Amino acid sequence: MKLNPLKHNVVFERLIMEFSNFKVGDRLPSERDFAELLSVNIATIRRAFRDLVLAGIVEKRIGSGTYLTQPVHAPWRERTINLILGIQQTTEFDKALKRVFLSVTKEFGRPGRVLYADEENYPDVIRSCISFKLPTIVAYPGGNGELAECPELFVRLSSMSYNTGIPSVLCDDVDVINSQIAHLRSVGRRRIALLSVRNGLALQDFQLAIWQGTMGSDYAPELLIVAGNSSLSLVEAACDAVAGAWKKQPFDGLICLTDELMFGALSALRHLGARVPEDVCVTSIGDTVLARFGNPAVTSVNPDPEAHIRSAIELLDHNHEHPRSPDLMRLVKSKLIVRESSSLNHNLSTLETNEHAEQVKP
């Protein structure tokens, strides 16, 4: 049954007015009660309540009823900050964002709520955030159209959202590559290879350019290793590519653009009899369990999800205060965590193996 948009908007506004009779935490009348009170079809009320639930204004508790969970028109710094993640939460970064988000918002003295989106419900979630003017951090790779229309409400966490008109918090990819090269050079490495994958992404092209530029006179074309066999898994393709490159011209340092590539590289080096880190020091980007529990544990870049969340909240507040000239980008420096795969100091009593390791500065 299609509802008249105008009728829905009128009913919605009347429903919101009724909420002024309740305090946060109060149990609300049923949808049927509101339908009778406003003399409208219950389907219209249900649609309005769906938007209210998506926005976190009300909460339905099974077996208990529906409750008002936040004011409808709260001052900006009292409004709930949303974090939108994909339902699958497939990346380690997403999982880390979820872990730190509520603690950071609490530290800021702000209510926070994690929302989950997929291709089907993402437009409804975004619409509800716009309807109630809720500050929202988007870590789901959905469409950008409506986000760009409300730059004062949204911040996207994405390496690929620059030049879209959407305020974004990004990893400082220059620092990501430079810090690894600086660390490898500090342990005497000069032939530092880069392991990438043939995917045509602009971010990877940018990382390759940074690596080549930073290498300077140490750069050589054969130091770029590309895992490009599409018929193999990423790990298998990386293993083959590294093995082929090593046999042609050995290198003494290796930067891997993902931890999956790194896992394949370690397999190839072991098979070839190359010792890590004695013969070749290895670093990676991602700091997943593959890096933390590798054999040996791998020096890796932690993207610092806590700094991403802090920067996103600060950017939301700045753009709310300056809606006519919003900032569109904040860069976050990552943390280089040094582990066995690139440490030649055998006298170290302990190696940095957790997210709280100090950053190695170039």
Side-chain angles (χ1 to χ4, degrees), residues 38 150 201 360:
L38 301 179
C150 304
L201 294 179
V360 176

Side-chain angles (χ1 to χ4, degrees), residues 22-93:
F22 299 90
K23 301 187 299 295
V24 171
D26 283 354
R27 186 174 183 272
L28 298 172
S30 69
E31 293 173 354
R32 189 170 298 279
D33 290 338
F34 275 121
E36 294 177 358
L37 176 66
L38 301 179
S39 301
V40 296
N41 191 298
I42 192 172
T44 306
I45 295 293
R46 284 174 177 163
R47 178 181 172 183
F49 264 84
R50 183 188 65 181
D51 291 345
L52 290 162
V53 169
L54 282 172
I57 304 297
V58 302
E59 178 185 14
K60 290 190 174 183
R61 302 173 188 172
I62 297 176
S64 178
T66 303
Y67 293 81
L68 186 65
T69 52
Q70 61 174 297
V72 177
H73 300 297
W76 175 260
R77 292 182 184 268
E78 294 178 16
R79 296 178 197 174
T80 296
I81 300 175
N82 291 321
L83 170 64
I84 302 179
L85 296 172
I87 288 175
Q88 299 299 323
Q89 294 183 68
T90 54
T91 70
E92 290 290 325
F93 186 58

Side-chain angles (χ1 to χ4, degrees), residues 15-209:
L15 186 61
I16 294 303
M17 290 178 61
E18 290 295 327
F19 281 8
S20 63
N21 298 318
F22 299 90
K23 301 187 299 295
V24 171
D26 283 354
R27 186 174 183 272
L28 298 172
S30 69
E31 293 173 354
R32 189 170 298 279
D33 290 338
F34 275 121
E36 294 177 358
L37 176 66
L38 301 179
S39 301
V40 296
N41 191 298
I42 192 172
T44 306
I45 295 293
R46 284 174 177 163
R47 178 181 172 183
F49 264 84
R50 183 188 65 181
D51 291 345
L52 290 162
V53 169
L54 282 172
I57 304 297
V58 302
E59 178 185 14
K60 290 190 174 183
R61 302 173 188 172
I62 297 176
S64 178
T66 303
Y67 293 81
L68 186 65
T69 52
Q70 61 174 297
V72 177
H73 300 297
W76 175 260
R77 292 182 184 268
E78 294 178 16
R79 296 178 197 174
T80 296
I81 300 175
N82 291 321
L83 170 64
I84 302 179
L85 296 172
I87 288 175
Q88 299 299 323
Q89 294 183 68
T90 54
T91 70
E92 290 290 325
F93 186 58
D94 280 354
K95 295 173 184 177
L97 288 174
K98 180 182 176 182
R99 285 196 300 270
V100 303
F101 173 68
L102 294 180
S103 62
V104 172
T105 51
K106 183 178 181 180
E107 183 180 327
F108 273 81
R110 315 281 281 275
R113 186 173 68 121
V114 179
L115 299 174
Y116 300 99
D118 58 19
E119 187 175 346
E120 182 178 352
N121 75 347
Y122 176 74
D124 289 337
V125 171
I126 293 300
R127 188 186 69 247
S128 71
C129 295
I130 294 173
S131 295
F132 293 98
K133 295 181 172 53
L134 296 176
T136 301
I137 302 169
V138 182
Y140 174 77
N144 292 331
E146 290 183 299
L147 274 64
E149 295 173 7
C150 304
E152 74 282 4
L153 293 180
F154 295 101
V155 167
R156 186 179 273 290
L157 304 185
S158 170
S159 297
M160 300 309 300
S161 60
Y162 47 80
N163 296 330
T164 61
I166 302 168
S168 303
V169 174
L170 315 174
C171 263
D172 185 344
D173 288 302
V174 173
D175 177 69
V176 166
I177 302 298
N178 284 348
S179 63
Q180 293 181 84
I181 293 176
H183 167 64
L184 292 171
R185 283 176 170 168
S186 75
V187 293
R189 306 300 158 149
R190 286 297 177 268
R191 286 187 55 80
I192 301 171
L194 184 75
L195 176 58
S196 66
V197 62
R198 186 175 292 117
N199 58 18
L201 294 179
L203 173 61
Q204 180 175 281
D205 291 341
F206 183 52
Q207 291 169 327
L208 297 183

